[in-house]
């Protein structure tokens, strides 16, 4: 459920590396419960922006608050109020699902009792009863990704950052993953998601498009399609990204 | 003679006391000069197959020939004639662009000059960075350099393992255009991808999932074999509509596809569609559109997946 409560607010957020401007004065707001797509070509500045919003990288200039906390001064508060998952980093492969849940629950300061409760309900919800005590490394990728998402929101964060969460998974699992994002949204958790699958752009409430460090567009998929006179997000992306000069990662 | 002939190929890996089956009795041919796509998700067995065909891995059983040569017995000969671009960037990170290219040319007993014409078009794009270390290149540039290195000895067949993974749509389009031009030079191309939309850019494809080949044919034929009429439906509340469709007794299958949901119906006689719309409107869902459509490769893939029904969420 989307409310008007702002959970991310940036104002001319900028990061320079030497004379290279990775993100250039980006300003936008994201609402509570919103599924916000953060798209752009490789090298457009997405990763830099996400790292700043997660409190991992200090901006050069501009302002931003995440979950109400300042990303310059309150980085630890930011970190404890967000979740993060990517295709590359998610779970410890040589721990079991139950151990991963316990580990992350502990990191985020949940009590033993809370962890026990969460652990049982999560494993049941994902239908992982049979695999709960096997090593994560032996699970199919799709299960890992679904478990990783559940673990990333184990502490009920305001926002979860998802960096290409569905890369390489089969088409059925990819859709099941989006069911999880919708469920989280119902609970008021905001998803800030990057993807290379343009059909997934359609599942977002709003989409932003980064081109050469600048946020070129930020609107609903239907308004963007109308604006670019097309019926596919693929075309919108193509129109915008084609003008890009940068190709760096 | 087909460029690649695979028959009953099996590959397993030990996992503790158990065995993980990466390839389960796989058989198909790749014709000379064609662009053949291996389409499937991570963990389906694509990389194991590439590694067997490039003689880097020995199969448990079954046989495979590349350019008429056996992948186990004739591995030396095969290695001279194939180009391989692994999914993981495998060039020397601390050599420059030019040094990498020179290295691969020398290993294969040729020079950059001799086969430059083949890579010219790709190489001009990375030439401005020829003195940069490969490790310092962007993703797109690394991909182009890797392709140049795989081509520099003028292989008869090119194996490309997920060359477009993690690459944005614009660069993906450019990459496929490049493959089209290499095909014109007579090079056979076998390419794998997890992106279903790239399937239609291949002449023939194999859909692979869980170590098994589900189908091998032209994209058009695979689409034609989709067994049921397929419909696209769109309403004002897509999330709620999806949930309702999954519960609806008239609906056989239902999957989200961007701004539409794709459905098949249990009963395809006249009246079912009107009945369905009526039922949905009763749930306060306004249906904007319901139309018959041609399936995409992704529809076909989902339909062919085993246990497709079991993993529907409760």
């Amino acid at each position: 459920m989307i409310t008007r409560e702002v959970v991310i607010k940036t104002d001319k957020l900028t990061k320079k590396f030497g004379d290279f401007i990775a993100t250039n004065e980006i300003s936008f707001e994201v609402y509570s419960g919103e599924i916000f797509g953060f798209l752009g070509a490789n090298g457009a500045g997405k990763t830099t922006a996400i790292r700043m919003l997660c409190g991992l990288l200090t901006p050069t200039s501009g302002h931003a608050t995440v979950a109400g906390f300042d990303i310059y001064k309150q980085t630890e508060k930011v970190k404890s109020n967000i979740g993060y998952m990517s295709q590359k980093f998610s779970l410890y492969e040589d721990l079991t699902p139950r151990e991963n849940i316990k580990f992350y629950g502990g990191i985020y300061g949940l009590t033993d009792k809370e962890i026990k409760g969460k652990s049982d309900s999560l494993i049941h919800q994902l239908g992982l009863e049979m695999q709960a005590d096997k090593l994560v490394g032996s699970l199919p990728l799709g299960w890992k990704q679904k478990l990783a998402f559940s673990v990333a929101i184990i502490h009920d964060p305001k926002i979860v950052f998802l960096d290409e969460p569905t890369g390489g998974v089969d088409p059925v699992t990819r859709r099941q993953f989006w069911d999880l994002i919708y469920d989280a949204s119902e609970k008021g958790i905001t998803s800030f998601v990057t993807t290379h699958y343009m059909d997934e752009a359609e599942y977002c409430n709003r989409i932003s498009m980064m081109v050469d460090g600048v946020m070129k567009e930020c609107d609903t998929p239907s308004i963007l399609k109308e604006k670019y006179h097309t019926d596919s997000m693929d075309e919108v992306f193509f129109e915008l990204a084609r003008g890009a000069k940068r190709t760096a990662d | 003679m087909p460029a690649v002939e695979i028959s009953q190929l099996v590959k397993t890996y030990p996992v503790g006391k158990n065995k993980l089956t990466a390839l389960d009795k796989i058989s198909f041919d790749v014709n000379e000069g064609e662009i053949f796509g291996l389409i499937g998700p991570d963990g389906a067995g694509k990389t194991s197959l590439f590694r067997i065909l490039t003689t880097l891995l020995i199969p448990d059983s079954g046989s495979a020939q590349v350019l008429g040569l056996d992948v186990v017995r004739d591995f030396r000969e095969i290695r001279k004639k194939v180009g391989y671009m692994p999914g993981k960037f495998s060039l020397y990170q601390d050599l420059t662009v030019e040094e990498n290219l020179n290295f691969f040319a020398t290993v294969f007993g040729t020079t950059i000059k001799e086969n430059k014409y083949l890579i010219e078009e790709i190489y001009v794009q990375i030439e401005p960075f020829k003195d940069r270390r490969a490790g310092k290149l962007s993703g797109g540039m690394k991909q182009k350099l890797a392709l140049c290195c795989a081509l520099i000895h003028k292989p008869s067949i090119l194996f490309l393992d997920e060359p477009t993974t993690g690459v944005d749509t614009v660069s993906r389009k450019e990459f496929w255009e490049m493959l089209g031009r290499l095909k014109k030079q007579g090079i056979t191309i076998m390419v794998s991808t997890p992106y279903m939309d790239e399937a239609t850019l291949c002449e023939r494809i194999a859909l692979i999932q869980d170590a098994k080949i589900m189908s091998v044919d032209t994209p058009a034929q695979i689409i034609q074999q989709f067994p049921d009429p397929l419909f696209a439906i769109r309403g004002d509340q897509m999330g709620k509509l999806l949930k309702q469709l999954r519960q609806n007794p008239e609906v056989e299958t239902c999957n989200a596809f961007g701004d539409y949901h794709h459905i098949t119906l249990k009963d395809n006689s006249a009246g079912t569609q009107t009945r369905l719309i009526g039922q949905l409107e009763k749930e306060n869902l306004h249906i904007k559109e319901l139309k018959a459509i041609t399936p995409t490769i992704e529809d076909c893939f989902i339909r062919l997946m085993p246990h497709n029904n079991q993993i529907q969420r409760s």
Side-chain angles (χ1 to χ4, degrees):
Chain A
M1 260 203 343
I2 309 175
T3 67
R4 298 306 292 175
E5 185 196 344
V6 174
V7 291
I8 299 175
K9 183 176 171 59
T10 75
D11 181 24
K12 296 190 173 172
L13 189 64
T14 301
K15 180 69 189 180
K16 295 181 187 171
F17 297 103
D19 48 12
F20 179 77
I21 309 173
T23 49
N24 193 355
E25 300 197 349
I26 59 173
S27 304
F28 63 97
E29 288 181 350
V30 182
Y31 303 106
S32 175
E34 186 172 19
I35 301 170
F36 187 83
F38 193 57
L39 310 184
N42 300 349
K46 299 192 299 288
T47 306
T48 303
I50 289 176
R51 294 192 63 201
M52 286 192 282
L53 295 175
C54 290
L56 299 171
L57 189 66
T58 311
T60 308
S61 62
H63 296 283
T65 55
V66 171
F69 299 105
D70 186 280
I71 64 163
Y72 287 88
K73 295 178 197 137
Q74 298 172 293
T75 52
E76 291 312 306
K77 283 275 185 199
V78 167
K79 286 178 205 166
S80 57
N81 281 281
I82 61 168
Y84 176 82
M85 143 184 197
S86 78
Q87 190 195 354
K88 288 180 194 116
F89 175 76
S90 46
L91 300 168
Y92 290 94
E93 301 247 314
D94 43 7
L95 297 182
T96 66
R98 216 181 274 284
E99 287 165 342
N100 266 290
I101 294 169
K102 197 172 172 189
F103 176 78
Y104 281 100
I107 292 276
Y108 283 115
L110 269 58
T111 64
D112 286 352
K113 201 178 157 199
E114 283 171 327
I115 291 173
K116 176 82 179 67
K118 284 266 185 187
S119 182
D120 291 342
S121 68
L122 247 173
I123 283 164
H124 176 70
Q125 231 176 21
L126 294 170
L128 272 177
E129 283 92 346
M130 301 292 287
Q131 285 83 23
D133 298 307
K134 290 182 183 159
L135 296 187
V136 162
S138 69
L139 294 181
L141 177 74
W143 288 112
K144 275 188 221 168
Q145 296 302 83
K146 283 186 274 186
L147 179 62
F149 178 77
S150 305
V151 167
I153 59 168
I154 196 157
H155 55 304
D156 290 321
K158 296 292 287 179
I159 305 146
V160 60
F161 289 89
L162 304 167
D163 198 359
E164 288 186 41
T166 55
V169 306
D170 71 69
V172 170
T173 310
R174 204 152 72 76
R175 287 168 173 79
Q176 291 171 342
F177 194 90
W178 275 89
D179 287 346
L180 295 178
I181 296 179
Y182 279 120
D183 289 348
S185 165
E186 297 274 319
K187 284 190 244 161
I189 299 175
T190 303
S191 287
F192 190 96
V193 55
T194 74
T195 179
H196 284 307
Y197 293 101
M198 282 305 125
D199 60 331
E200 294 186 348
E202 295 279 0
Y203 308 148
C204 300
N205 299 115
R206 279 188 306 148
I207 303 282
S208 56
M209 290 270 191
M210 294 283 293
V211 181
D212 289 348
V214 177
M215 190 173 278
K216 277 275 188 201
E217 292 290 357
C218 180
D219 223 318
T220 65
S222 53
I223 291 177
L224 286 176
K225 283 186 287 184
E226 208 169 303
K227 185 169 170 185
Y228 289 87
H229 310 289
T230 168
D231 53 8
S232 85
M233 281 309 291
D234 206 42
E235 295 254 324
V236 174
F237 185 93
F238 200 71
E239 278 300 312
L240 279 160
R242 202 172 48 174
K245 306 258 183 319
R246 287 186 351 206
T247 51
D249 260 334
Chain B
M1 180 184 70
V4 178
E5 285 180 88
I6 300 166
S7 175
Q8 295 289 309
L9 204 61
V10 175
K11 179 69 197 174
T12 62
Y13 299 103
V15 180
K17 284 177 194 155
N18 300 321
K19 273 199 296 192
L20 176 85
T21 305
L23 297 171
D24 192 2
K25 293 186 191 151
I26 279 185
S27 305
F28 65 84
D29 291 350
V30 176
N31 299 327
E32 207 173 311
E34 79 179 341
I35 298 186
F36 187 94
L38 195 58
I39 318 286
D42 289 4
K46 303 191 298 291
T47 299
S48 292
L49 182 55
F50 274 119
R51 292 179 63 85
I52 289 172
L53 296 177
T54 51
T55 78
L56 300 172
L57 200 62
I58 294 173
D60 295 11
S61 62
S63 69
Q65 270 97 45
V66 174
L67 307 165
L69 300 161
D70 183 86
V71 291
V72 180
R73 198 186 54 221
D74 308 320
F75 71 95
R76 280 176 209 280
E77 277 307 301
I78 290 179
R79 286 180 189 183
K80 288 180 197 158
K81 295 180 174 173
V82 304
Y84 175 41
M85 183 172 156
K88 193 169 164 252
F89 184 68
S90 306
L91 302 180
Y92 293 95
Q93 309 256 4
D94 45 5
L95 293 186
T96 66
V97 166
E98 200 172 23
E99 285 166 347
N100 264 296
L101 204 51
N102 235 327
F103 174 81
F104 283 97
T106 312
V107 164
F108 286 104
T110 179
T111 57
I112 297 181
K113 213 173 142 194
E114 199 175 320
N115 292 321
K116 185 111 187 252
Y117 72 98
L118 203 58
I119 60 162
E120 188 77 55
E121 185 203 5
I122 312 160
Y123 191 63
V124 289
Q125 297 175 54
I126 50 174
E127 203 162 18
F129 312 100
K130 68 180 166 52
D131 296 323
R132 191 181 287 187
R133 288 183 187 197
K136 297 279 180 206
L137 292 175
S138 72
M141 292 292 167
K142 277 182 182 162
Q143 180 205 44
K144 285 179 181 129
L145 176 60
L147 184 59
C148 285
C149 289
L151 277 169
I152 196 64
H153 59 296
K154 204 184 176 205
S156 308
I157 179 164
L158 199 51
F159 293 101
L160 307 172
D161 194 4
E162 296 206 16
T164 55
T165 291
V167 176
D168 66 68
T169 43
V170 177
S171 310
R172 276 166 56 193
K173 263 183 196 145
E174 284 174 8
F175 195 83
W176 278 95
E177 282 162 15
M178 236 150 38
L179 295 190
R181 289 188 288 265
L182 286 172
K183 176 193 148 66
K184 288 207 182 98
Q185 305 266 7
I187 298 174
T188 306
I189 299 170
M190 184 166 165
V191 55
S192 69
T193 177
Y195 297 106
M196 306 278 150
D197 58 340
E198 293 184 343
T200 48
L201 302 168
C202 304
E203 284 157 277
R204 286 194 314 136
I205 54 174
L207 302 183
I208 182 168
Q209 163 84 357
D210 277 342
K212 289 191 175 74
I213 300 285
M214 301 192 296
S215 185
V216 183
D217 217 321
T218 61
Q221 276 298 324
I222 286 178
I223 286 167
Q224 209 174 23
Q225 283 154 19
F226 193 84
D228 301 308
L230 185 70
F231 299 92
I233 185 165
R234 191 163 63 94
D236 52 353
Q237 302 168 70
M238 292 302 279
K240 191 179 166 194
L241 178 61
L242 187 64
K243 280 189 181 151
Q244 286 296 327
L245 287 167
R246 282 177 184 164
Q247 292 167 11
N248 193 290
E250 311 283 357
V251 176
E252 176 81 41
T253 64
C254 170
N255 289 296
F257 265 82
D259 51 350
Y260 287 90
H261 300 323
H262 289 187
I263 58 173
T264 58
L265 301 171
K266 283 182 186 149
D267 170 12
N268 283 298
S269 57
T272 311
Q273 292 180 48
T274 327
R275 210 158 55 232
L276 176 64
I277 291 175
Q279 288 162 3
L280 294 168
E281 301 267 350
K282 239 182 248 166
E283 300 290 333
N284 291 319
L285 283 160
H286 174 58
I287 304 303
K288 290 179 180 164
E289 202 179 354
L290 173 65
K291 60 179 180 185
I293 53 160
T294 306
T296 64
I297 289 293
E298 192 155 348
D299 288 298
C300 300
F301 195 98
I302 292 173
R303 172 52 70 102
L304 288 165
M305 272 174 72
H307 322 300
N308 176 6
N309 301 324
Q310 287 169 33
I311 39 182
Q312 287 241 331
R313 258 163 49 85
S314 50

